[in-house]
Amino acid sequence: MPFKHRVIFNVLAKDLKNAKELVQIAGDRVLVGVMVKNFPTEEAAIQLVKEFKGNNIPVSVGLGAGDPAMWKKVTEVSVATLPDHINQVFPASGYTLGRLEQTTENVPLINSMIEPTGTPGQVYISTGPLSSAHREKVTCELAATMIAEMGIPSIKFYPIEGVKYLDELAEMTQAASKVGIKIIEPTGGIDLSNVHEIVQICLENGAELVIPHLYSSLIDKETGETKSSAMKQLVELEW
């Protein structure tokens, strides 16, 4: 997927019809998430990703609420389908990249998920199924450097709880930019009321592409669909 924009929105869709509506509105400024946690088997997730791709829906394969236990399922589904974008926990992102480099020359965009700690300048990289039991802080600089060493081009910062961790988001973005990582994906508690401010912080601190994840906040509670009116509001925002 050629990233020609500074801001691309990662959203959910109830089904193919809903996904088509969103892409019709946002074009190449949207990624439609498929959360592997929501599927009983890898094969079921693979089938939906293939259906979306067959209908020109840009797909982001995700864990599902950042669940570290889903890391291997994400890798297997991604290798089988080659989506446009892949969400992965820090400890498994290098492995996932390696698997995909063996599979295709056109490797999808893979992120590496790290977590805010409540202390600006420090993060948790222990986002895997076992390592997440260890709450040991490292500097943003170390985290960014290790992600760059693995060859991962994007950092997912989750959960940011809306605007709670803006100082930390700014510092993480700065550290990433200094080592050549220019894509930041803030995630958690982002909605139409705060997305502009959150993206602005990333752009001001060195990001060249921001991919905010807006999930439940855009979903119509009655229909379960991501609201097309919300998608329209997002693509009309300017930075």
Side-chain angles (χ1 to χ4, degrees), residues 44-116:
I46 287 166
Q47 282 179 349
L48 184 64
V49 175
K50 285 184 172 176
E51 183 184 22
F52 277 10
K53 283 191 66 180
N55 283 275
N56 298 313
I57 309 293
V59 179
S60 169
V61 171
L63 299 150
D67 184 350
M70 295 294 118
W71 77 267
K72 193 75 160 54
K73 202 168 173 183
V74 161
T75 304
E76 299 306 328
V77 171
S78 298
V79 168
T81 61
L82 302 179
D84 297 272
H85 177 264
I86 299 163
N87 299 272
Q88 191 53 284
V89 295
F90 174 92
S93 51
Y95 168 84
T96 305
L97 175 61
R99 286 284 305 279
L100 281 148
E101 284 179 340
Q102 290 179 318
T103 307
T104 177
E105 288 181 7
N106 301 310
V107 174
L109 175 63
I110 303 171
N111 66 35
S112 189
M113 186 176 84
I114 57 175
E115 215 180 308

Side-chain angles (χ1 to χ4, degrees), residues 9-185:
F9 304 100
N10 199 317
V11 302
L12 299 176
K14 182 185 178 184
D15 49 26
L16 180 60
K17 175 177 164 287
N18 192 199
K20 283 180 173 177
E21 288 169 355
L22 301 174
V23 173
Q24 197 169 5
I25 293 163
D28 57 0
R29 291 194 62 201
V30 67
L31 289 161
V32 178
V34 173
M35 304 296 119
V36 299
K37 186 174 184 172
N38 297 341
F39 296 85
T41 62
E42 285 171 14
E43 193 50 49
I46 287 166
Q47 282 179 349
L48 184 64
V49 175
K50 285 184 172 176
E51 183 184 22
F52 277 10
K53 283 191 66 180
N55 283 275
N56 298 313
I57 309 293
V59 179
S60 169
V61 171
L63 299 150
D67 184 350
M70 295 294 118
W71 77 267
K72 193 75 160 54
K73 202 168 173 183
V74 161
T75 304
E76 299 306 328
V77 171
S78 298
V79 168
T81 61
L82 302 179
D84 297 272
H85 177 264
I86 299 163
N87 299 272
Q88 191 53 284
V89 295
F90 174 92
S93 51
Y95 168 84
T96 305
L97 175 61
R99 286 284 305 279
L100 281 148
E101 284 179 340
Q102 290 179 318
T103 307
T104 177
E105 288 181 7
N106 301 310
V107 174
L109 175 63
I110 303 171
N111 66 35
S112 189
M113 186 176 84
I114 57 175
E115 215 180 308
T117 61
T119 306
Q122 297 187 309
V123 294
Y124 295 124
I125 58 174
S126 50
T127 54
L130 300 176
S131 60
S132 54
H134 299 273
R135 310 304 279 168
E136 296 174 26
K137 300 174 183 180
V138 302
T139 63
C140 290
E141 287 75 16
L142 176 60
T145 303
M146 290 178 75
I147 291 168
E149 272 182 334
M150 289 191 285
I152 301 295
S154 178
I155 291 175
K156 179 174 178 175
F157 204 42
Y158 169 84
I160 64 163
E161 296 179 40
V163 297
K164 183 176 178 181
Y165 295 110
L166 288 187
D167 290 351
E168 294 183 57
L169 178 62
E171 293 217 21
M172 189 63 245
T173 306
Q174 284 177 22
S177 180
K178 283 175 187 166
V179 295
I181 296 174
K182 301 290 188 176
I183 306 173
I184 297 291
E185 305 186 37

